[in-house]
């Protein structure tokens, strides 16, 4: 496991933002961390990336304790924050060069690292343009390139496609998935778009500082939501049934076989899972 979290807690005075959570992330996987605003996502990520001190519990990244071995953790991770952190006046390539130098790279090694990040993130077409002159999608690609300069084993992406138009979001997502598959890099993703999380190998849902569910997309859908069978009969009657599993529809349909005018099965989604786990609960910011 590249990330191991055991009974991790964080309190701000009397407010407990994270309440003894535990989970693990497999190396080379695409892992999604889902939760409403104020659920504890950012607090957890800030602890894992050594930006915030924990109150209690344990957290290790790449086998290194996030407190005792903070610098070693920083050397093996890349982070793409929600907010832009690059210099708007410098060009894309200049920003990447500055970033690489902070990791001790210089000369040919630095130049090669920058060009490699430019290629992987697909920013070569605008690498000589100032960061401040780029579109939203181009900035996000550049942010990812910045995080890749030192070839991290683990990439944290905190809502990387928020605010982007649908086409740019799709292109960004394809790039992220290709990066993860082709390089074997572990990707730790937070997102508000459930269709993005559906591509994950593993998902944790956190709410009010507690882990509410952990599993593959299929496992979560099977446990926390239902398929829905809708039928219209030839006399106009309408029938709607929740299904514990999709194959339960077969016996119901068979019972009306000669009377069915229309039939539809709607599969449960991760949106349903997320709402069933969090809807109606008080949010804590």
């Amino acid at each position: 496991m590249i990330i191991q979290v055991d009974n991790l807690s964080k309190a701000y005075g009397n407010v407990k933002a994270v309440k003894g959570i535990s989970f693990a992330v497999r190396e080379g996987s695409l892992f999604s961390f889902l939760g409403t605003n104020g659920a504890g996502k950012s607090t957890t990520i800030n602890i894992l990336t050594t930006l915030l001190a924990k109150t209690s519990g344990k957290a290790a990244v790449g086998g290194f304790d996030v407190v005792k071995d903070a610098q070693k953790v920083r050397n093996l991770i890349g982070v793409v924050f929600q907010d832009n952190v690059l210099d708007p006046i410098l060009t894309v390539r200049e920003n990447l060069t500055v970033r690489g130098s902070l990791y001790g790279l210089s000369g040919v090694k630095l130049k090669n690292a920058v060009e490699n990040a430019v290629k992987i993130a697909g920013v070569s077409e605008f690498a000589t343009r100032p960061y401040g002159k780029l579109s939203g999608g181009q900035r996000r690609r550049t942010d990812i390139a910045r995080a890749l300069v030192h070839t991290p084993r683990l990439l944290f992406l905190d809502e990387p496609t928020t605010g982007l138009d649908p086409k740019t979001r799709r292109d960004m997502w394809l790039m992220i998935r290709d990066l993860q598959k082709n390089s074997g890099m572990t990707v730790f993703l937070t997102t508000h778009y459930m269709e993005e999380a559906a591509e994950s190998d593993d998902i944790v849902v956190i709410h009010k500082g507690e882990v509410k569910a952990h599993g593959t997309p299929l496992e979560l859908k099977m446990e926390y939501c239902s398929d829905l069978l809708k039928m219209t009969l030839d006399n106009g009657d309408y029938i709607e049934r929740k299904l514990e599993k999709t194959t339960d529809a077969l016996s119901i349909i068979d019972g009306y076989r000669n009377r069915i005018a229309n039939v539809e099965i709607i599969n449960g989604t991760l949106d349903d899972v997320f709402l069933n786990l969090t809807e109606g609960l008080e949010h804590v910011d």
Side-chain angles (χ1 to χ4, degrees), residues 35-279:
T36 55
N37 291 332
K41 300 191 307 297
S42 294
T43 297
T44 303
I45 289 176
N46 286 339
I47 292 172
L48 293 176
T49 56
T50 75
L51 298 176
L52 184 66
K54 60 184 174 62
T55 299
S56 62
K58 296 181 180 179
V61 176
F64 299 114
D65 185 274
V66 295
V67 177
K68 297 176 182 177
D69 304 307
Q71 188 56 53
K72 292 180 179 178
V73 170
R74 295 182 195 123
N75 288 339
L76 60 84
I77 67 173
V79 185
V80 177
F81 300 99
Q82 291 184 38
D83 299 323
N84 300 324
V85 295
L86 296 180
D87 192 311
I89 298 176
L90 298 181
T91 67
V92 169
R93 187 172 276 108
E94 288 169 343
N95 267 297
L96 299 184
T97 300
V98 170
R99 180 67 178 182
S101 67
L102 295 178
Y103 282 92
L105 299 174
S106 62
V108 174
K109 288 185 177 180
L110 176 58
K111 182 178 179 181
N112 290 342
V114 169
E115 294 309 313
N116 185 54
V118 165
K119 180 180 178 180
I120 293 174
V123 301
S124 57
E125 291 184 4
F126 47 88
T128 58
R129 292 178 58 188
Y131 181 78
K133 300 292 184 180
L134 303 181
S135 68
Q138 290 171 335
R139 289 188 184 190
R140 296 314 278 165
R141 282 184 175 271
T142 303
D143 293 340
I144 291 174
R146 172 196 60 81
L148 297 176
V149 167
H150 62 298
T151 316
R153 285 173 56 193
L154 170 62
L155 180 64
F156 286 91
L157 299 174
D158 194 4
E159 299 182 11
T161 63
T162 297
L164 302 181
D165 63 79
K167 181 182 183 304
T168 304
R169 271 180 51 209
R170 182 198 64 192
D171 294 344
M172 180 74 65
W173 182 247
L174 289 174
M175 186 266 288
I176 292 169
R177 193 53 166 157
D178 285 345
L179 170 65
Q180 185 263 327
K181 285 183 176 180
N182 296 332
S183 69
M185 182 184 299
T186 307
V187 176
F188 188 112
L189 172 75
T190 72
T191 179
H192 283 152
Y193 300 109
M194 293 301 106
E195 69 270 22
E196 294 180 350
E199 298 290 328
S200 302
D201 299 305
D202 215 14
I203 296 172
V204 159
V205 179
I206 184 173
H207 187 71
K208 295 176 69 174
E210 299 177 337
V211 170
K212 294 298 183 182
H214 187 183
T216 67
L218 179 58
E219 288 169 345
L220 295 183
K221 285 189 284 187
M222 290 180 65
E223 184 169 357
Y224 296 103
C225 68
S226 303
D227 292 343
L228 186 66
L229 171 65
K230 295 183 177 183
M231 290 193 301
T232 304
L233 304 183
D234 53 14
N235 65 355
D237 286 350
Y238 175 74
I239 296 172
E240 183 174 296
R241 301 276 181 83
K242 285 187 176 182
L243 308 170
E244 289 190 12
K245 55 183 184 296
T246 306
T247 53
D248 289 345
L250 297 175
S251 61
I252 301 173
I253 292 172
D254 191 57
Y256 295 92
R257 179 175 298 277
N258 298 321
R259 301 174 55 197
I260 296 174
N262 192 299
V263 63
E264 180 182 15
I265 297 176
I266 301 174
N267 297 118
T269 67
L270 278 182
D271 282 309
D272 298 324
V273 171
F274 188 74
L275 290 173
N276 287 338
L277 286 167
T278 63
E279 194 172 44

